[in-house]
């Protein structure tokens, strides 16, 4: 009798069961912070696969260490920087905006708008023909918000975008695939490097202002890496393995002016919307002392041909290292997955030498209290 009298009424059991069922049906990505990605091949995760362009990473050995061991359009042997950030913030990887899978609840995860070959300027990467330059990436962001509004309503869509984390990676191609692409390029005839960089910064400022206008409120802005030290540039410009002084000078001029511009924007907005990431400093650490980070080389690409494996594209016919974790560079231009993990670790926990005004862990902690 005692046992039967303490049993919950059937109606209560059904109520508890239905609550569990309702909780189980809430998709986890609906609760996670959305993540949006803009930029070039360092962060493209497959948009160019849907375009008629030579700037693609859709054939082996790209993706050799990706979970599926298949090429995905990422310019990496495995995961790229946005993938690893998604892992660290507890979110699913973002889908390319052009992916037909980006529908329904997956819109709440965010989207990746990046396209290999593009730069700050619209004439950067013209040799790749059909790529998504920044005005179109921003237009796609606007269209994404329309689709999200249709799914969850205007107010909820605005909230998702305002609370999202945004990553933008631009600038490197404006040097290697524009100013320095060929001798006497149009931009090098128009500008000296000390004049070209303020022009780039002023154009970048307009892009960031548009992102803010479209609702972005937490934006990680990466500087350029050590442009003169990538295997492609060593193969073309180096005699004894030294980095290209001219490209290193360009990066050294660009990055401080970028930080200055971000500070100015944040002052105008009265908030730390834009967070600068010193990716040149991060990569210089393992370029200058590769063995301290577990690499055998920071000069030779894992996949490629010619001096430093820095000539041409990474293809099935290229030299391929057996252990990608021992190489700082995967191909002539792009870091290996292991190097990407080191970069993201510094994005998460780096001091103000690398992250200004704060690192991503601090951002996550601050924003969780809002």
């Amino acid at each position: 009798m005692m046992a039967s009298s303490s049993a919950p009424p059937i109606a209560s059991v059904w109520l508890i069961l239905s609550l569990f069922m309702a909780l189980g049906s809430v998709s986890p990505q609906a609760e996670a912070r959305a993540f949006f990605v803009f930029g070039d091949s360092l962060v493209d995760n497959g948009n160019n696969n849907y375009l008629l362009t030579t700037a693609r990473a859709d054939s082996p050995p790209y993706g050799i260490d990706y979970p599926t061991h298949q090429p995905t359009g990422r310019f990496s042997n495995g995961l790229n920087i946005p993938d690893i950030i998604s892992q660290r913030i507890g979110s699913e990887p973002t889908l390319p905006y052009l992916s037909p899978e980006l529908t329904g609840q997956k819109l709440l995860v965010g989207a990746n708008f990046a396209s290999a070959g593009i730069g700050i300027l619209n004439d950067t990467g013209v040799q790749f023909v059909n790529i998504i330059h920044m005005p179109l990436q921003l237009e796609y962001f606007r269209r994404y918000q329309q689709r999200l509004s249709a799914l969850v309503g205007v107010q909820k869509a605005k909230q998702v975008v305002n609370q999202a984390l945004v990553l933008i990676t631009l600038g490197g191609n404006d040097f290697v695939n524009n100013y320095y692409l060929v001798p006497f390029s149009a931009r090098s005839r128009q500008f000296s490097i000390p004049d070209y960089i303020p022009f780039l910064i002023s154009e970048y400022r307009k892009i960031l202002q548009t992102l803010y206008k479209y609702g972005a409120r937490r934006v990680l802005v990466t500087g350029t890496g050590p442009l003169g030290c990538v295997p492609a540039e060593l193969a073309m410009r180096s005699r004894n393995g030294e980095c290209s002084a001219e490209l290193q000078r360009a990066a050294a001029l660009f990055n401080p002016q970028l930080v200055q511009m971000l500070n100015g924007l944040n002052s105008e907005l009265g908030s730390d919307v834009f967070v600068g990431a010193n990716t040149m400093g991060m990569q210089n650490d393992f370029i200058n002392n590769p063995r301290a980070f577990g690499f055998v080389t920071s000069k030779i690409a894992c996949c490629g041909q010619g001096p430093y494996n820095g000539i041409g594209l990474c293809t099935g016919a290229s030299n391929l290292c057996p252990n990608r974790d021992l190489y700082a560079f995967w191909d002539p231009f792009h870091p290996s997955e292991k190097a990407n993990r080191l970069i993201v670790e510094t994005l998460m926990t780096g001091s103000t030498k690398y992250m200004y005004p704060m690192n991503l862990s601090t951002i996550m902690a601050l924003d969780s209290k809002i």
Side-chain angles (χ1 to χ4, degrees):
M1 290 293 292
M2 290 290 291
S4 61
S5 67
S6 63
I10 289 173
S12 299
V13 172
W14 276 111
L15 179 62
I16 292 163
L17 278 172
S18 60
L19 275 170
F20 271 115
M21 287 165 72
L23 286 167
S25 69
V26 175
S27 58
Q29 68 259 34
E31 301 306 313
R33 184 175 200 167
F35 183 33
F36 301 108
V37 182
F38 300 85
D40 57 27
S41 59
L42 290 165
V43 293
D44 182 357
N45 68 347
N47 279 309
N48 281 21
N49 284 2
Y50 301 94
L51 304 172
L52 287 171
T53 177
T54 54
R56 291 166 72 146
D58 60 345
S59 57
Y62 284 96
I64 190 171
D65 299 310
Y66 193 73
T68 60
H69 306 293
Q70 297 296 316
T72 61
R74 292 163 173 83
F75 286 75
S76 172
N77 57 300
L79 302 183
N80 65 9
I81 287 168
D83 294 324
I84 301 162
I85 290 175
S86 291
Q87 286 182 343
R88 296 296 296 266
I89 66 173
S91 181
E92 291 181 31
T94 54
L95 286 167
Y97 178 74
L98 297 181
S99 169
E101 293 176 36
L102 186 66
T103 58
Q105 293 290 304
K106 289 199 181 297
L107 288 166
L108 289 160
V109 177
N112 187 314
F113 302 91
S115 178
I118 70 114
I120 296 165
L121 306 180
N122 288 338
D123 56 293
T124 292
V126 289
Q127 69 273 28
F128 302 122
V129 187
N130 189 20
I131 51 180
I132 312 168
H133 292 283
M134 277 313 302
L136 187 53
Q137 288 191 30
L138 293 166
E139 169 60 16
Y140 282 162
F141 187 37
R142 192 185 66 78
R143 292 184 202 174
Y144 159 87
Q145 292 187 49
Q146 290 176 337
R147 291 168 62 190
L148 185 64
S149 296
L151 179 73
V152 297
V154 173
Q155 278 307 111
K156 174 66 175 173
K158 185 173 186 288
Q159 182 185 3
V160 167
V161 171
N162 286 166
Q163 293 177 354
L165 180 68
V166 178
L167 172 69
I168 185 165
T169 295
L170 289 173
N173 283 330
D174 295 288
F175 297 101
V176 299
N177 278 311
N178 191 329
Y179 194 94
Y180 291 109
L181 180 63
V182 292
F184 310 109
S185 66
R187 288 296 188 188
S188 69
R189 282 181 277 120
Q190 182 184 8
F191 293 106
S192 67
I193 273 291
D195 292 330
Y196 183 57
I197 287 166
F199 172 61
L200 285 180
I201 296 291
S202 68
E203 293 301 303
Y204 204 168
R205 193 177 203 276
K206 295 171 191 173
I207 291 166
L208 297 179
Q209 286 174 316
T210 304
L211 265 181
Y212 184 83
K213 185 177 88 173
Y214 287 169
R217 294 295 180 267
R218 277 293 191 207
V219 186
L220 285 180
V221 184
T222 65
T224 69
L227 302 173
C229 300
V230 300
E233 298 302 332
L234 296 184
M236 284 191 291
R237 303 171 190 273
S238 179
R239 291 184 179 180
N240 301 304
E242 76 283 359
C243 299
S244 162
E246 180 70 7
L247 276 159
Q248 287 296 89
R249 174 173 165 260
L253 287 170
F254 177 86
N255 289 320
Q257 291 185 45
L258 175 64
V259 171
Q260 195 175 7
M261 181 265 282
L262 298 179
N263 287 343
L265 271 178
N266 286 341
S267 293
E268 282 178 27
L269 298 168
S271 176
D272 290 326
V273 173
F274 299 103
V275 175
N278 177 8
T279 40
M280 184 162 177
M282 297 173 197
Q283 291 182 62
N284 274 342
D285 287 348
F286 54 74
I287 282 170
N288 294 334
N289 191 3
R291 293 188 181 277
F293 295 87
F295 298 121
V296 295
T297 179
S298 59
K299 296 183 186 298
I300 302 167
C302 167
C303 181
Q305 45 279 313
Y308 308 100
N309 279 344
I311 302 291
L313 303 170
C314 168
T315 70
S318 298
N319 301 320
L320 180 66
C321 67
N323 184 350
R324 275 68 65 183
D325 284 351
L326 298 179
Y327 286 71
F329 286 96
W330 155 244
D331 70 8
F333 283 105
H334 302 97
S336 62
E337 178 182 321
K338 181 177 174 183
N340 285 333
R341 289 191 177 280
L342 290 169
I343 291 165
V344 173
E345 182 58 36
T346 311
L347 293 177
M348 294 297 301
T349 62
S351 69
T352 50
K353 174 186 172 185
Y354 302 101
M355 299 294 297
Y356 190 82
M358 66 191 112
N359 61 37
L360 186 47
S361 295
T362 305
I363 290 170
M364 299 300 288
L366 281 174
D367 293 352
S368 68
K369 295 172 184 172
I370 294 173

